[in-house]
Amino acid sequence: MYTNKFGRHMLGLCSRKPAAVCGVVRRAAGRSGFSWTAVCQQRTLWLQRSGFLEKEKRAVIRQTGSRSASQTTVDPSELKRFQSLASKWWDEQGEFAALHAMNDLRVPFIRDNLLNVHRARHPGKPLAGLRILDVGCGGGLLTEPLGRLGAKVLGIDPVENSIGTAQLHSSYDPDLREQVSYQVCTLEDLSGEEEGGKEEQGAAQFDAVVASEVVEHLADLETFAFCCSSVLKPGGSLFITTINKTNLSYALGIIVAEQILRIVPSGTHDWEKFISPEELERLLESNGFSVQSVQGMLYNSLSGAWSWTNSTAINYALHAVKLEDSAEDSSSHPEDHTAASHS
């Protein structure tokens, strides 16, 4: 009863001003045992602190002309969290139910945009002839349907048990045997950018890179963008779905989704890692991409379904294309890219 009552308020939140979100959520969950006054006060403090840190960071960039890059996309705390969930990827009613439902939007989004770029038509297998890299593939929830559309898909993930789950699940479908493969590695491993130097096994070989619900879990987005450009062919597509960094995304994506409705496990998201479409677009453009489209996404917790929306205040999908003349630029160091973008 409580969940249904609260759920009726969720869509209404999207039309309210961000400043009113805490008050609305406080009233809707007044008997939940949370101290909403404390939550809102803490959120305000975080915003102030974040703003201060951003100013400090921009000041350092102006003085030095560069910023340090960790050179790894992996956050050890994220690895530990997803390791504990590795056996649950294919439970459609479990922790990843929302990701299963998201396929109704993200698969057509990827398919249709790729067909706009690649004009060849293959009835029944529209993505035949294309090679796709699924970054942070988890248990293969998105890898498999892309393979069924005819693409050759490589799913990569640093969590070995998740890859084991993906391989086991795909083995039950003979049609995927030649279409889908998996590898335990990071994006920087594949692109040959890891310190120590490896053969560039992933360089410029993919027609598309997909990173769905991934970037909000990464340690270094600069390295991520650089490596995406490195493994993509010129003219290749990058598809990202992620969460905007707004008051509304904090209220709904963390407080509601994790702590009240428990749509996703508590602690799954860190608001400080969320990124706005504008910031993501700037990052991608500095790494040789041209953003083609950005579209808002909305999850209805009552129906368990996703829908497109004009608002990008919470979730959004982005499609970018690697520019034809960015191939040479992708051979430079990611720190050099960062410095150039701020010079």
Side-chain angles (χ1 to χ4, degrees), residues 145-174:
L146 293 176
R148 291 190 182 95
L149 290 175
K152 296 274 190 180
V153 190
L154 171 62
I156 63 172
D157 200 290
V159 179
E160 185 174 0
N161 286 0
S162 290
I163 292 296
T165 298
Q167 291 172 328
L168 177 62
H169 192 272
S170 65
S171 70
Y172 296 132
D173 187 346

Side-chain angles (χ1 to χ4, degrees), residues 28-69:
R31 288 182 289 180
S32 66
F34 287 89
S35 172
W36 291 108
T37 299
V39 168
C40 290
Q41 289 174 343
Q42 182 185 39
R43 177 71 188 91
T44 301
L45 178 61
W46 284 5
L47 277 175
Q48 292 171 343
R49 186 181 302 160
S50 175
F52 173 76
L53 292 176
E54 286 299 316
K55 290 178 182 178
E56 290 294 300
K57 184 167 66 175
R58 286 194 295 269
V60 170
I61 290 172
R62 285 195 298 270
Q63 292 170 10
T64 65
S66 65
R67 73 179 176 192
S68 62

Side-chain angles (χ1 to χ4, degrees), residues 213 216 241-245 249 269 274-276 314-316:
E213 306 306 293
E216 66 269 25
T241 69
T242 189
I243 310 175
N244 200 348
K245 192 172 186 179
S249 70
H269 295 114
F274 292 177
I275 185 170
S276 70
I314 310 173
N315 296 80
Y316 63 94

Side-chain angles (χ1 to χ4, degrees), residues 61-129:
I61 290 172
R62 285 195 298 270
Q63 292 170 10
T64 65
S66 65
R67 73 179 176 192
S68 62
S70 68
Q71 300 308 296
T72 179
T73 58
V74 175
D75 183 332
S77 63
E78 298 281 0
L79 283 185
K80 184 177 180 180
R81 182 176 301 113
F82 283 101
Q83 185 75 31
S84 67
L85 297 169
S87 65
K88 302 179 180 180
W89 283 104
W90 287 96
D91 180 1
E92 296 187 22
Q93 306 303 318
E95 285 89 342
F96 298 112
L99 286 183
H100 282 273
M102 189 184 285
N103 278 358
D104 290 342
L105 290 191
R106 58 185 180 175
V107 172
F109 181 74
I110 295 167
R111 178 200 63 204
D112 294 347
N113 278 289
L114 284 177
L115 291 179
N116 285 335
V117 175
H118 304 274
R119 299 296 180 180
R121 291 292 183 265
H122 304 273
K125 300 287 184 181
L127 301 185

Side-chain angles (χ1 to χ4, degrees), residues 133-138 154-157 186-187 209-212 214 218 224 228:
L133 176 65
D134 185 4
V135 178
C137 66
L154 171 62
I156 63 172
D157 200 290
T186 65
L187 178 59
V209 171
V210 176
S212 186
V214 168
L218 299 182
F224 164 78
C228 284

Side-chain angles (χ1 to χ4, degrees), residues 41 63 99 115 141 152 188-189 232 247 251 268 276 297 318 327 340:
Q41 289 174 343
Q63 292 170 10
L99 286 183
L115 291 179
L141 273 61
K152 296 274 190 180
E188 54 270 22
D189 288 335
L232 271 173
N247 288 341
T268 297
S276 70
M297 306 166 68
L318 177 147

